[in-house]
């Protein structure tokens, strides 16, 4: 056996689907490695075009079959991915541009496809937007389907006899959908993100998955023993016997724990001493909406509205927005739908905007600052939201507020929009509530002055932490300074909650802290009674709520006020959760990620 095959390696990636997989690696080879350049005589060009045209028809059939199968086996919302791929297949890029390039270059379809896709990739990679990165994933997925059909190796890489962990540079939704759930234990890839379609499908299928693992394929070989920890993002290759035994125990604990969560999904979110807590979901796309319903969300605490605009590549009309919001409101029959107005800028840009390049776009012309200048566009979204309020419970939420003057300007625009709708005899909810995001430190500091002018607060901890501590959480060099439990952050959260409570108004928390059950007791103790999070985290947070009493949580929060460092606070929070786990016989929710990392680092390569 080669030295590489027995090397013990530990990687850290992005966990995108919970669970633990233990098994042997199977590498999914890329079909692009098989592409060669073939020059064609003029007499062969018609035959090559016919071959390409026939391939497009075959791929169309495959996508329809895949859409229908995923709809039956997983769900109709997840199947919409493949409806989107059918639309991409009919794009002029594949239908017109590629055939023209075959004629012009006099080359085989496979090589032309690879060249043109490389050009697209370079264009898209210059755009700093999660949406465009995922859009590129979709284009590449369709291109891979076409390539496999051209090469006649549609089943390449997925003909598997025994259960394995799949390792790949990237996985498309088509790859994920073709997986045999009984033969795939989990997967790990070099590329991908939390909201990529492959990650969403992995969660729907219950496959443990870790993505964004650099140098993965340089270090692994087919047959290597591996552990994929979809909870912590750790991947162990050829792990030591003790690590395997430890993970086998954790795997059993996780399975028991997850079964317990599933059984409690329909139970109310009520503390041990009877305090009812509101659990809502954050959504970005319709697939998230189906998960919110599945996991018993009591409403939508944050509907991010940017994605439909980015997908369309233009500003949607008022009617288009109204139809979209009405659909969400009517689908979410239970609870209120809180619709956030567009939060553009930073890393989300619309291609039709003439945006000057800014040195620091997160601190520049973004979000509410854009739309208080682009008032006609702003009012079209406001009107669409008001119109949707006639079909269910709706609230409107404004992001990136930093001063009272912005709220007063918004209030004027709201009144203008309402007067226009009344004049046009268009019905809407006259009592629709208006709220603001608390995500800029100035807003948190001035919370007591802002709350009289709005109906509710929604605390966005992701940006609040970054702006308060001057740290980019995506920058590994300063990642250790991104501290959700920094005393300054807790003071700002506490100040915002207390200001809302003082005026008898509601306050929710919709950042990542809301979806982390480790922080649930602390936030309850601070007075928070409304949480909004990724739908997938609802069962775990509900379980934590049902395992604590308000007296315990208040005692925890009071103790934290006296502490001066994030390290002190973190230790006390973990101790609190360990005590709850012991009382409730929950061995799984431990600080296992760091412990496993330390164990892996202490094992030397053989």
């Amino acid at each position: 056996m080669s030295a590489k095959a027995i090397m013990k390696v530990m990687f850290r990636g992005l966990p995108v689907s919970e669970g633990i997989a233990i098994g042997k690696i199977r590498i999914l080879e890329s079909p692009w490695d098989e592409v060669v350049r073939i020059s064609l005589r003029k007499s062969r060009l018609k035959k090559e075009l016919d071959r390409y045209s026939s391939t497009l028809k075959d791929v169309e059939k495959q996508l329809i079959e895949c859409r229908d199968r995923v709809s039956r086996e997983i769900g109709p919302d997840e199947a919409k991915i493949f409806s989107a791929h059918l639309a991409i297949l009919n794009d002029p890029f594949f239908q017109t541009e590629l055939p023209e390039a075959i004629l012009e270059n006099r080359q085989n379809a496979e090589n032309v496809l690879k060249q043109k896709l490389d050009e697209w990739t370079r264009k898209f990679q210059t755009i700093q937007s999660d949406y465009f990165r995922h859009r590129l994933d979709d284009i590449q997925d369709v291109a891979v389907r076409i390539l496999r059909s051209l090469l006649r190796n549609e089943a390449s890489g997925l003909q598997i006899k025994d259960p394995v962990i799949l390792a790949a540079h990237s996985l498309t939704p088509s790859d994920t959908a073709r997986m045999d759930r009984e033969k795939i234990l989990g997967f790990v890839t070099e590329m991908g993100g939390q909201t990529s379609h492959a990650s969403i499908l992995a969660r729907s299928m219950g496959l443990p998955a870790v993505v964004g693992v650099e140098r993965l394929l340089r270090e692994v070989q087919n047959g290597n023993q591996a552990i994929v920890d979809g909870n912590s993002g750790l991947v162990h290759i050829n792990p030591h016997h003790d690590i395997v035994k430890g993970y086998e125990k954790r795997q059993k604990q996780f399975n028991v724990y997850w079964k317990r969560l599933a059984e409690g999904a329909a139970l109310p979110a009520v503390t041990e001493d009877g305090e009812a807590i509101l659990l809502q979901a954050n959504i970005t796309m319709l697939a998230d909406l189906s998960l919110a319903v599945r996991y018993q969300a009591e409403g939508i605490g944050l509907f991010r509205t940017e994605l439909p605009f980015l997908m369309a590549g233009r500003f949607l009309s008022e009617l288009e927005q109204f139809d979209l919001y009405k659909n969400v409101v009517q689908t979410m029959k239970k609870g209120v739908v809180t619709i956030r107005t567009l939060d553009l800028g930073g890393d989300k840009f619309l291609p039709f905007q003439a945006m000057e390049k800014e040195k620091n776009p997160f601190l520049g012309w973004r979000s509410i600052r854009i739309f208080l200048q682009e008032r006609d566009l702003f009012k079209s979204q406001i009107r669409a939201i008001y119109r949707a309020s006639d079909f269910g419970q709706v609230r409107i939420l404004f992001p990136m507020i930093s001063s009272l003057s912005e709220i007063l300007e918004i209030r004027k625009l709201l009144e203008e929009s309402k007067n226009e709708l009344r004049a046009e005899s268009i019905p809407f909810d006259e009592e629709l509530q208006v709220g603001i995001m608390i995500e800029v430190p100035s807003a948190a500091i001035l919370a007591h002055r802002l709350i009289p002018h709005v109906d509710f607060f929604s605390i966005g901890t992701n940006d609040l932490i970054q702006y308060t501590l001057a740290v980019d959480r995506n920058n590994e060099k300063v990642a250790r300074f991104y501290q959700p439990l920094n005393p300054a952050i807790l003071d700002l959260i506490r100040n915002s909650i207390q200001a809302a409570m003082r005026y008898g108004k509601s306050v929710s928390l919709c950042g990542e802290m809301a979806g982390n059950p480790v922080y649930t007791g602390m936030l309850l103790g601070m007075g928070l009674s409304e949480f909004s999070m990724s739908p997938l985290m609802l069962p775990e947070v509900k379980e934590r709520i049902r395992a604590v009493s308000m007296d315990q949580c208040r005692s925890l929060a009071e103790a934290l006020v006296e502490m001066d460092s994030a390290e002190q606070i973190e230790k006390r929070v973990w101790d609190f959760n360990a005590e709850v786990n012991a009382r409730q016989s929950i061995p799984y929710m431990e600080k296992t990620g760091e412990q496993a990392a330390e164990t892996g680092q202490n094992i030397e390569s053989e």
Side-chain angles (χ1 to χ4, degrees):
M1 184 178 292
S2 69
K4 180 179 178 181
I6 63 171
M7 185 79 76
K8 293 177 173 64
V9 184
M10 188 194 75
F11 297 101
R12 186 181 293 275
L14 177 67
V16 295
S17 184
E18 286 191 306
I20 295 169
I22 303 173
K24 292 185 177 181
I25 287 286
R26 172 66 183 272
I27 297 174
L28 181 64
E29 305 291 348
S30 170
W32 298 109
D33 295 337
E34 301 179 37
V35 175
V36 295
R37 180 180 182 275
I38 302 174
S39 297
L40 302 176
R41 296 191 301 272
K42 189 174 181 179
S43 59
R44 287 191 55 191
L45 289 175
K46 184 180 183 304
K47 187 175 181 180
E48 187 68 4
L49 289 174
D50 290 342
R51 184 171 75 96
Y52 178 75
S53 178
S54 176
T55 295
L56 293 185
K57 292 176 183 177
D58 290 341
V59 170
E60 183 178 26
K61 292 178 184 177
Q62 293 171 21
L63 286 170
I64 291 171
E65 290 171 2
C66 205
R67 179 195 63 191
D68 294 345
R69 182 169 62 82
V70 169
S71 181
R72 288 193 308 272
E73 298 177 4
I74 303 177
D77 286 307
E78 287 80 0
K80 289 177 181 176
I81 293 170
F82 299 100
S83 296
H85 286 189
L86 282 165
I88 290 172
L89 181 67
N90 288 311
D91 189 270
F93 174 72
F94 291 112
Q95 297 289 335
T96 306
E97 203 172 318
L98 264 294
E100 289 175 351
I102 291 171
L103 285 174
E104 182 180 346
N105 298 333
R106 293 190 180 184
Q107 292 177 8
N108 56 317
E110 295 91 337
N111 195 59
V112 170
L113 177 62
K114 183 177 182 180
Q115 289 177 337
K116 299 299 284 186
L117 188 66
D118 286 345
E119 291 176 12
W120 265 78
T121 300
R122 286 192 292 272
K123 290 178 183 177
F124 272 77
Q125 286 178 339
T126 62
I127 302 174
Q128 298 300 311
S129 162
D130 284 340
Y131 165 71
F132 283 106
R133 282 193 288 272
H134 300 324
R135 171 97 177 175
L136 179 58
D137 289 342
D138 291 335
I139 295 169
Q140 288 174 332
D141 187 337
V142 174
V144 167
R145 274 193 173 273
I146 294 171
L147 179 63
R148 284 186 174 140
S149 190
L150 287 166
L151 295 171
R152 297 298 181 215
N153 68 346
E154 289 89 340
S156 174
L158 288 177
Q159 294 176 336
I160 297 167
K161 294 182 180 179
D162 300 315
V164 295
I165 293 172
L166 209 59
H169 175 68
S170 62
L171 283 174
T172 65
S174 298
D175 291 329
T176 311
R178 287 191 301 149
M179 292 177 183
D180 183 341
R181 182 63 185 86
E182 296 182 0
K183 298 290 179 65
I184 304 297
L185 302 171
F187 69 74
V188 55
T189 66
E190 293 183 326
M191 305 296 288
Q194 181 75 32
T195 57
S196 65
H197 289 321
S199 298
I200 292 168
L201 279 175
R203 291 192 287 270
S204 299
M205 297 168 71
L207 287 171
V210 175
V211 303
V213 178
E214 296 180 2
R215 301 182 299 104
L216 172 70
L217 298 184
R218 297 181 189 177
E219 302 290 346
V220 301
Q221 291 182 345
N222 282 318
N224 284 165
Q225 184 73 11
I227 298 170
V228 173
D229 186 343
N231 308 307
S232 69
L234 296 176
V235 178
H236 296 270
I237 306 299
N238 294 320
H240 189 275
H241 175 74
D242 290 345
I243 292 181
V244 176
K245 295 295 288 184
Y247 266 104
E248 287 174 345
K249 179 182 177 182
R250 291 177 61 203
Q251 188 181 49
K252 290 177 182 177
Q253 291 173 345
F254 176 79
N255 292 339
V256 170
Y257 175 62
W258 197 250
K259 182 180 179 183
R260 176 173 173 167
L261 292 181
E263 290 171 349
L267 297 174
V270 178
T271 62
E272 283 187 331
D273 48 355
E275 187 81 15
I277 306 300
L278 184 66
L279 293 186
Q280 299 180 308
N282 298 341
I283 67 169
T284 301
M285 59 185 86
L286 292 178
D288 296 330
L289 186 60
S290 67
L291 288 172
V293 173
R294 182 188 305 176
Y295 290 113
Q296 307 285 319
E298 299 174 82
I300 302 302
L302 175 63
F303 175 19
R304 304 181 182 94
T305 56
E306 296 82 32
L307 189 58
F309 291 81
L310 294 168
M311 289 178 67
R314 58 182 174 79
F315 200 93
L316 300 181
S317 69
E318 179 184 323
L319 182 58
E320 289 173 314
Q321 293 183 66
F322 164 61
D323 287 339
L324 171 66
Y325 306 148
K326 181 177 74 170
N327 183 23
V328 172
V329 171
Q330 290 180 324
T331 302
M332 196 66 200
K333 298 180 176 66
K334 183 179 179 182
V336 67
V337 175
T338 302
I339 303 175
R340 187 183 71 183
T341 59
L342 287 166
D343 185 9
L344 295 174
D347 62 349
K348 297 186 291 289
F349 296 99
L350 289 177
F352 55 83
Q353 287 181 283
M355 299 288 289
E356 294 182 8
K357 188 174 180 63
E358 296 180 295
K359 290 183 178 180
N360 194 333
F362 284 94
L363 299 178
W365 198 53
R366 63 169 293 198
S367 196
I368 199 68
R369 297 168 183 174
I370 295 176
F371 289 103
L372 284 176
Q373 293 185 38
E374 302 288 344
R375 295 189 172 218
D376 289 341
L377 296 178
F378 195 23
K379 283 176 65 175
S380 73
Q381 184 171 34
I382 290 171
R383 284 171 53 98
I385 294 171
Y386 268 110
R387 292 173 65 178
S389 70
D390 191 48
F391 295 84
Q393 299 179 67
V394 173
R395 301 193 302 182
I396 188 168
L397 178 64
F398 296 97
M400 290 297 296
I401 299 298
S402 59
S403 68
L404 177 58
S405 62
E406 290 169 333
I407 297 175
L408 298 179
E409 280 192 75
I410 289 168
R411 282 292 188 184
K412 290 178 183 177
L413 288 172
L414 292 176
E415 287 305 314
E416 288 178 19
S417 300
K418 289 159 68 175
N419 287 334
E420 290 171 6
L421 292 172
R422 293 186 191 109
E424 298 168 31
S425 300
I426 296 176
F428 63 92
D429 180 6
E430 292 277 359
E431 304 300 319
L432 182 145
Q433 290 196 338
V434 176
I436 62 169
M437 293 283 293
I438 301 294
E439 52 191 341
V440 177
S442 62
I445 294 168
L446 296 173
H448 64 290
R449 298 186 184 184
L450 303 183
I451 191 64
H453 301 274
V454 297
D455 299 305
F456 66 96
F457 282 164
S458 182
I459 304 172
T461 52
N462 299 354
D463 276 340
L464 184 62
I465 295 168
Q466 293 191 99
Y467 289 139
T468 302
L469 302 181
V471 58
D472 178 0
R473 62 185 174 143
N474 297 314
N475 184 337
E476 292 183 3
K477 293 180 180 179
V478 295
R480 66 190 179 92
F481 298 109
Y482 186 85
Q483 300 172 329
L485 296 179
N486 186 289
I489 301 301
L490 300 191
D491 280 354
L492 292 176
I493 292 173
R494 190 182 295 108
N495 189 55
S496 302
I497 293 172
Q498 290 176 352
M501 292 175 65
R502 197 176 302 128
Y503 279 83
K505 296 184 178 181
S506 69
V507 54
S508 68
L509 194 146
C510 63
E512 288 183 9
M513 287 183 73
N516 189 333
V518 170
Y519 302 139
T520 301
M522 175 192 72
L523 293 169
L524 289 171
M526 289 182 177
L528 190 72
S529 60
E530 296 182 22
F531 294 68
S532 190
M533 66 202 71
S534 163
L536 295 164
M537 297 309 301
L538 287 165
E540 292 189 66
V541 172
K542 182 184 290 186
E543 187 281 333
R544 185 86 324 186
I545 289 169
R546 294 181 59 82
V548 298
S549 71
M550 289 303 299
D551 284 343
Q552 294 164 355
C553 296
R554 291 189 191 103
S555 295
L556 171 64
E558 289 168 7
L560 301 183
V561 172
E562 304 301 323
M563 296 182 181
D564 298 323
S565 72
E567 291 74 20
Q568 284 180 298
I569 294 171
E570 183 178 13
K571 183 180 185 305
R572 182 66 191 93
V573 169
W574 276 108
D575 288 346
F576 173 85
N577 281 284
E579 293 164 9
V580 176
N581 295 343
R583 289 197 307 270
Q584 298 292 322
S585 299
I586 304 173
Y588 174 69
M589 284 181 65
E590 300 168 352
K591 198 172 180 180
T592 47
E594 287 81 354
Q595 292 168 350
E598 290 169 5
T599 304
Q601 288 166 349
N602 290 334
I603 297 170
E604 296 180 357
S605 302
E606 296 180 359

